[in-house]
Amino acid sequence: MKASIALSAAAVLAAKVSADCFSSRLGFPCCSSSSAEVWYTDSDGKWGVENDGWCGIPEAPSPAQCWSEAQGYPCCKFTSDVVFTDNDGNWGVENGNWCGIQKKNGNNGNGNLDDVTPDNQITLNGNPFANKIFYINPYYVEEVDGAIAQMTDASLISKAEKMKTFSNAIWLDSIKNMQSWLEPNLKGALAQQKSARKEVLTVFVVYDLPGRDCHALASNGELLANEGDWARYKSEYIDVIEEKLRTYKSQPVVLIVEPDSLANMVTNLDSTPACRWDDNRQKAGKVYSKVIQSGAPGKVRGFTDNVANYTPWEDPTLSRGPETEWNPCPDEKRYLEAIHKDFTAAGIPSVYFVCDTSRNGKKVDRKHPGEWCNQTGVGIGARPQASPISGMPYLDAFYWIKPLGESDGTSDTSAARFDGYCGHETAMKPAPEAGQWFQKHFEQGLKNANPPL
């Protein structure tokens, strides 16, 4: 079993041997020293930053090795879950490959996953994205590795390799996925934080509200809007998230809470259009203010926009006309400028934003702004970055919330979760179920990246 699952690991190791430094084959320079600060670790190696760019940290001339490396298998970097034990030690699985779980007496420079005891309570002031290392989602790295295995174009492979160096949000979209992904990623981020000696930020999407996304077939959730499922949501989902966050208290975490809940309700106030229209933004501000004040402690940092959508950040070719259904805010920049003003006027004390730029690098082919499913012409947008726009201090970050390559919904008209929007002219076909990997859409997003990868 170990031999079959580790074929890709053997290929990676062979490629590393043939290069001066592992990052050379990926189009990145080597760092100037093997003792450079580690900013990120993946299946290729350890990465640093020099001259405002990524560089591969060369191997230190030390005889110390992880016990599994002598057998041709890497050390585990993110997991401590034991899948198999033999005379050599404990084995785990990462990115579809066997890895050796490090013994307690050494961490081999990758961060000791046994040393994940939280320190003192962290206190965040101001922009939570500022001056942080952004945690890399290991599940998405695995998905991208799978996509690369299907590619033959060297240029496209190089672009895809770069995707593994950028952070994106981890979606807790079911009770099972929350149980599988929340604590292991908190633990992985904490281990990296202790190794790097710099705060490592993890972003989660809390996304399992009963009755989620109203009646949208492609993305509605596992829980229904009834008393029994509300009780499950609280005891099996939200309470568990709170417990884990209280445990891992020494690291920064951003929660993006139920992006398809309150926004959908506000959109349908008096059957009016979406929040981009002037009168509806004012109504939305009042509703959001009331909801925030009714909670405990009665405050949030701010809001997200363009989640899983395709609207460009700034597009002067878009205007208030028939093409945009007379939308006064046809791009995200104009929308945030307007909604910041209206939400502030509604008395909301903290109005900051995170804009999802994972798929809005170019204007897609959609015929009207309501087209949301697997749009053709997709391109990766601005890279994750804190405080990206001068003159907009209320914009905390550009960030990749919806991972490029994960489908919006199936185009199979016979499927139970088929949504008509996924069959529209500008929706790419054939498309798999929501959340499943969509290779063609991913590759188009790489080709159309703006700025280019």
Side-chain angles (χ1 to χ4, degrees), residues 314-342:
E314 188 171 19
D315 189 344
T317 68
L318 293 173
S319 61
R320 188 173 188 171
E323 180 188 12
T324 59
E325 297 183 346
W326 305 99
N327 183 349
C329 303
D331 61 30
E332 291 306 303
K333 184 173 186 290
R334 280 176 275 184
Y335 174 54
L336 289 192
E337 288 171 340
I339 203 168
H340 177 263
K341 177 181 177 181
D342 290 332

Side-chain angles (χ1 to χ4, degrees), residues 260-311:
D260 281 329
S261 56
L262 187 58
N264 273 346
M265 186 189 79
V266 170
T267 296
N268 291 286
L269 288 171
D270 302 325
S271 299
T272 54
C275 298
R276 292 177 182 271
W277 277 259
D278 297 342
D279 59 343
N280 217 36
R281 285 198 312 275
Q282 296 167 6
K283 295 177 183 178
K286 295 176 182 178
V287 173
Y288 273 78
S289 179
K290 182 177 180 180
V291 170
I292 293 169
Q293 292 175 22
S294 68
K299 61 182 179 180
V300 298
R301 169 68 183 177
F303 309 90
T304 57
D305 68 290
N306 204 40
V307 174
N309 214 319
Y310 300 89
T311 307

